[in-house]
Amino acid sequence: QVRLVESGGGLVQAGGSLRLSCAASGSIFSIYAMGWYRQAPGKQRELVALMSTSGSTNYADSVKGRFTISRDNDKNTVYLQMNTLEPEDTAVYYCYADLKVVRGTDPMHYWGKGTLVTVSS
């Protein structure tokens, strides 16, 4: 069984910073992409940032220059440093991982339960 557990959400004022962490655990053979999505009230879930095992990244235009994704492959952990937060960043942030649990099978998508980030104006 694979678990993705997020931490680091909370309430912050506009202009502030937060750092999210997500650790993957369980029966994991290999992890490919890891990253973050978010879902604001009344909106669809959207990509925030994604990082491959090689370190290539993909960011939503709305967070470029403010958010930085990083990962520790030895710890199966991905981080999201969020700076200069805006009220529009308020959302539940979900950890995502594309991974294999068994050698020779196709990678599958896994999600964490989410952590709430609230940015007050």
Side-chain angles (χ1 to χ4, degrees):
Q1 185 177 358
V2 174
R3 293 181 66 206
L4 300 181
V5 179
E6 303 102 334
S7 61
L11 173 64
V12 65
Q13 288 188 331
S17 299
L18 282 175
R19 186 183 192 226
L20 305 183
S21 300
C22 171
S25 63
S27 180
I28 298 171
F29 175 72
S30 60
I31 300 178
Y32 300 92
M34 291 190 80
W36 298 90
Y37 284 70
R38 69 185 181 187
Q39 187 166 17
K43 295 188 177 181
Q44 289 188 328
R45 190 174 297 189
E46 63 176 1
L47 171 71
V48 177
L50 207 59
M51 178 176 269
S52 69
T53 49
S54 65
S56 62
T57 58
N58 184 23
Y59 290 96
D61 288 342
S62 59
V63 307
K64 285 180 181 176
R66 299 188 298 122
F67 291 10
T68 302
I69 188 171
S70 61
R71 62 189 280 184
D72 185 332
N73 292 329
D74 291 336
K75 296 181 178 179
N76 291 340
T77 299
V78 64
Y79 307 95
L80 186 68
Q81 178 66 44
M82 304 185 293
N83 298 328
T84 320
L85 283 159
E86 303 169 353
E88 293 74 23
D89 296 317
T90 295
V92 176
Y93 284 70
Y94 295 92
C95 179
Y96 163 87
D98 192 27
L99 60 87
K100 287 185 180 181
V101 295
V102 177
R103 185 174 189 167
T105 61
D106 291 332
M108 294 179 65
H109 306 321
Y110 288 83
W111 295 91
K113 292 184 178 180
T115 184
L116 178 62
V117 172
T118 304
V119 184
S120 63
S121 57

